[in-house]
Amino acid sequence: MVIAKGNSEKTVFSESEGSLLQALSDWETALPKLEDEYETQSGSELALSDFAAPLPKTWAFLDGSAFIQHIVLVRQARKAALPEDLTTIPLMYQGISDTLEGPTADIPAFGPNDGLDFEGEIGVITDEVPMGTTAEEAEKHIKLVVLLNDVSLRNLIPREVGTGFGFIQSKPASAFAPWAVTPDELGDAWRDSRLHLPLVTDLNGEQFGNPDAGEMHFSFAELIAHAAKTRRLSAGTIIGSGTVANKNPEVGSSCIAERRMLEIIETGEATTPFLKPGDRVQMEVRKDGHSLFGQIDQTVA
Amino acid sequence: MVIAKGNSEKTVFSESEGSLLQALSDWETALPKLEDEYETQSGSELALSDFAAPLPKTWAFLDGSAFIQHIVLVRQARKAALPEDLTTIPLMYQGISDTLEGPTADIPAFGPNDGLDFEGEIGVITDEVPMGTTAEEAEKHIKLVVLLNDVSLRNLIPREVGTGFGFIQSKPASAFAPWAVTPDELGDAWRDSRLHLPLVTDLNGEQFGNPDAGEMHFSFAELIAHAAKTRRLSAGTIIGSGTVANKNPEVGSSCIAERRMLEIIETGEATTPFLKPGDRVQMEVRKDGHSLFGQIDQTVA
């Protein structure tokens, strides 16, 4: 099933009773009702700008960094050492969860030297996850899959990572594609707790990258287990994959920082600038010609 | 005014309509209604265990570390360098906000070698804070003041701080004293956006420390401005002070890690153990013999 939330007053493919956040706290009861509504509403014709994020606000966004190639390249870019446990313990921070933007929300320009960047990611939304849940048990808590743009201020990151305390100012609000999708809708593309499909990012109408999200080193189940080690996760918790990145450089990137690092490795100089006002970022995941999550289509204000 | 939330079915000094989280989104309207209810209910006789946290769940908990002496001692303890901008930019991480425990909640024992510790802190709860709010403008967004125990797993911190991504597993759920207090209730003890009163912590019935919370290097207004630099803060956001600590070692500490470091400095060896099952932690702030926030009284399970 596909779930979305209408912007403004419209409610679309959406919550028969209460909010999606409430529905996730009793998913087995809520799902059949949502399915009924889906049947009756899925024919609606709507513009992308009619949609909010599927979950416009939630209790926690725990964003992993599960694509090793992204970590290798961005650390190389800021001349930082690789973590010793790079391949054994996932990196994860807690990000903004009270402002989850819709697919066409403008990206604020922020400071001209902040290094404004996009990061294409896959996310999952869980129901209630008890503290101490193992990776083996975690898969069943994945109720929805989403596509998001984790906006990043690249030049503010080194100082904040240097404090050890994580990203407070360098990770502004993320934006979400309109449709949250139950794993069964993804067919054989959802396996091993990963989405095995390319995430296509366009910058100003040209393809910027289409790396396969299946190359995730840690699965979503492993990320959930890491997050839930010493805390429960509330229904509605979003777990992010981190920037989708592949070892093969020919598939391009899901963020500007990686391309700049590849340019430095190849030519000694980064030539692709970070985002500036007027730039347009689009993201999408397609399967059999069909857009699974709908599009993210943001412009820098 | 003093606001609290009853555990179980009881509602105490509390929300006339909807939740405190909702009230904070329209505080000017909600406050008079809450004051009426306060008048009629403040005589109730209740046990500490009848109370939940004033806000049992909220959208964001942004915890600062505004007492320089705490940073100096805990970094010394884990042989970590001091940040270059120690006195100019506040340290802050985003912590668990979907599980805010009541004043008598048991502290889970966690792993025997995790280094279980308490941290006595003052917090403030804001209404909606626009992105880019300055420290000068931030004071008026402080609607309530609270007392909390930020439970910490000291031996898990070095690895997580080393990643740069902040505390996911090393900062389990915090517990709150029962009463959230409007700043006007604090009289002359609330000035310069700081609470100028000692936070008294007892461990197993003996006083562990009573440092003055007024020795905060960064004020709450400055912490709010730091948090809101590139994000809006939702109504109900909690901003923490970090562990209350004074330069004068004679006042003792609000966490075990600091005392252990002082022991090492004095005798070459830390002798105070971290928390173990059965240990009891109590925290309180008194003014003119009156307990301002009520007590935190937790036992390790």
Side-chain angles (χ1 to χ4, degrees):
Chain A
M1 196 183 46
V2 174
I3 293 174
K5 186 168 171 62
N7 239 331
S8 68
E9 294 310 303
K10 294 181 203 167
T11 301
V12 198
F13 306 160
S14 167
E15 309 109 46
S16 22
E17 286 166 27
S19 71
L20 179 56
L21 203 47
Q22 278 179 301
L24 283 157
S25 70
D26 187 8
W27 194 238
E28 305 316 317
T29 309
L31 197 58
K33 292 185 195 169
L34 290 165
E35 273 169 350
D36 284 350
E37 195 171 350
Y38 177 50
E39 289 303 318
T40 57
Q41 296 204 359
S42 55
S44 317
E45 285 291 329
L46 286 148
L48 194 58
S49 58
D50 288 330
F51 291 92
L55 203 54
K57 191 167 192 165
T58 191
W59 305 111
F61 171 37
L62 293 158
D63 197 10
S65 188
F67 292 88
I68 301 294
Q69 186 64 7
H70 174 74
I71 304 173
V72 168
L73 286 175
V74 295
R75 298 247 165 172
Q76 210 168 338
R78 58 173 198 258
K79 299 186 177 63
L82 284 172
E84 277 178 35
D85 39 28
L86 180 70
T87 59
T88 53
I89 307 179
L91 287 172
M92 184 175 283
Y93 71 96
Q94 181 155 1
I96 297 175
S97 64
D98 58 346
T99 308
L100 306 175
E101 301 284 7
T104 62
D106 279 348
I107 302 173
F110 297 102
N113 301 314
D114 287 349
L116 183 61
D117 200 356
F118 50 86
E119 289 193 342
E121 301 195 10
I122 306 300
V124 298
I125 305 180
T126 71
D127 64 358
E128 169 90 18
V129 178
M131 182 162 79
T133 293
T134 63
E136 290 67 35
E137 297 162 335
E139 171 78 28
K140 69 173 187 285
H141 294 292
I142 298 173
K143 298 304 177 194
L144 292 164
V145 184
V146 292
L147 167 65
L148 62 134
N149 175 16
D150 175 29
V151 175
S152 297
L153 298 172
R154 210 57 73 180
N155 296 337
L156 305 189
I157 287 179
R159 196 197 67 77
E160 292 203 315
V161 165
T163 68
F165 277 46
F167 313 94
I168 296 295
Q169 297 181 345
S170 53
K171 293 274 187 185
S174 300
F176 287 71
W179 305 325
V181 176
T182 49
D184 63 293
E185 286 281 329
L186 304 168
D188 61 0
W190 182 260
R191 55 184 196 275
D192 311 323
S193 207
R194 293 167 177 88
L195 180 65
H196 294 266
L197 286 170
L199 190 168
V200 182
T201 301
D202 286 5
L203 176 60
N204 296 325
E206 291 195 14
Q207 186 168 307
F208 195 85
N210 64 339
D212 190 329
E215 204 176 299
M216 242 174 123
H217 179 77
F218 298 103
S219 71
F220 279 108
E222 289 169 320
L223 294 179
I224 291 169
H226 181 82
K229 185 81 188 298
T230 62
R231 67 172 78 186
R232 58 179 277 279
L233 307 182
S234 288
T237 295
I238 301 176
I239 303 285
S241 69
T243 311
V244 175
N246 289 172
K247 284 203 182 102
N248 175 9
E250 287 174 17
V251 298
S253 305
S254 308
C255 72
I256 294 174
E258 285 179 36
R259 179 186 277 189
R260 286 170 59 88
M261 194 59 222
L262 291 170
E263 288 167 349
I264 289 172
I265 291 168
E266 279 167 35
T267 71
E269 192 186 9
T271 51
T272 304
F274 287 116
L275 292 174
K276 54 189 186 308
D279 281 345
R280 181 181 184 188
V281 182
Q282 291 163 285
M283 294 176 182
E284 197 165 30
V285 174
R286 293 188 158 269
K287 184 175 185 247
D288 309 327
H290 166 70
S291 181
L292 279 181
F293 306 103
Q295 220 181 23
I296 291 173
D297 186 354
Q298 296 186 275
T299 300
V300 180
Chain B
M1 195 182 49
V2 174
I3 293 175
K5 186 169 171 61
N7 238 331
S8 67
E9 292 312 301
K10 295 182 203 167
T11 301
V12 199
F13 307 163
S14 166
E15 308 110 44
S16 23
E17 288 166 23
S19 71
L20 179 55
L21 202 47
Q22 277 180 301
L24 283 156
S25 69
D26 186 9
W27 194 238
E28 305 316 318
T29 309
L31 197 59
K33 292 184 195 169
L34 289 165
E35 272 167 351
D36 285 351
E37 196 173 350
Y38 177 51
E39 289 304 317
T40 57
Q41 296 205 358
S42 55
S44 318
E45 287 289 332
L46 286 150
L48 193 58
S49 58
D50 288 330
F51 291 91
L55 203 53
K57 190 167 192 165
T58 191
W59 304 112
F61 170 38
L62 294 159
D63 196 11
S65 188
F67 292 88
I68 301 294
Q69 186 64 6
H70 174 74
I71 303 173
V72 168
L73 286 175
V74 294
R75 298 247 166 173
Q76 210 168 337
R78 57 171 198 259
K79 299 186 177 63
L82 284 172
E84 277 178 36
D85 39 28
L86 179 69
T87 60
T88 53
I89 306 179
L91 287 172
M92 185 175 281
Y93 72 95
Q94 181 155 1
I96 297 175
S97 63
D98 58 344
T99 309
L100 306 174
E101 301 283 6
T104 62
D106 279 347
I107 303 173
F110 297 103
N113 300 314
D114 287 349
L116 182 62
D117 200 356
F118 50 86
E119 290 194 342
E121 302 195 10
I122 306 299
V124 298
I125 304 181
T126 71
D127 64 357
E128 169 90 17
V129 179
M131 182 162 78
T133 293
T134 64
E136 290 67 36
E137 298 162 335
E139 171 79 28
K140 68 172 188 284
H141 294 291
I142 298 173
K143 299 304 174 192
L144 293 165
V145 184
V146 293
L147 167 65
L148 62 134
N149 175 16
D150 175 29
V151 175
S152 297
L153 298 173
R154 210 55 75 180
N155 296 336
L156 305 190
I157 286 179
R159 195 197 68 78
E160 291 203 315
V161 165
T163 69
F165 277 45
F167 313 95
I168 297 294
Q169 298 181 344
S170 53
K171 293 275 187 182
S174 300
F176 287 71
W179 305 325
V181 176
T182 51
D184 63 292
E185 287 280 329
L186 304 168
D188 62 359
W190 182 259
R191 54 183 197 276
D192 312 324
S193 207
R194 293 169 177 85
L195 180 66
H196 294 265
L197 286 170
L199 191 167
V200 182
T201 300
D202 287 5
L203 176 59
N204 296 325
E206 290 196 14
Q207 186 167 306
F208 195 86
N210 64 340
D212 190 330
E215 204 175 298
M216 239 174 125
H217 179 77
F218 299 102
S219 71
F220 280 108
E222 289 169 319
L223 294 180
I224 291 169
H226 181 82
K229 185 80 187 300
T230 62
R231 65 171 81 186
R232 58 180 276 279
L233 307 182
S234 289
T237 295
I238 301 176
I239 304 284
S241 69
T243 312
V244 174
N246 289 173
K247 283 204 182 98
N248 174 9
E250 286 173 18
V251 298
S253 306
S254 307
C255 71
I256 294 174
E258 285 179 35
R259 179 185 276 190
R260 287 170 59 89
M261 194 58 222
L262 292 169
E263 289 167 348
I264 289 171
I265 291 167
E266 279 167 33
T267 70
E269 191 186 11
T271 51
T272 304
F274 287 115
L275 293 174
K276 55 190 184 307
D279 280 346
R280 182 181 183 187
V281 182
Q282 290 163 287
M283 294 177 182
E284 199 166 27
V285 174
R286 291 187 159 270
K287 183 173 187 250
D288 310 328
H290 166 71
S291 181
L292 278 181
F293 307 102
Q295 221 182 22
I296 291 172
D297 187 352
Q298 295 186 274
T299 301
V300 180

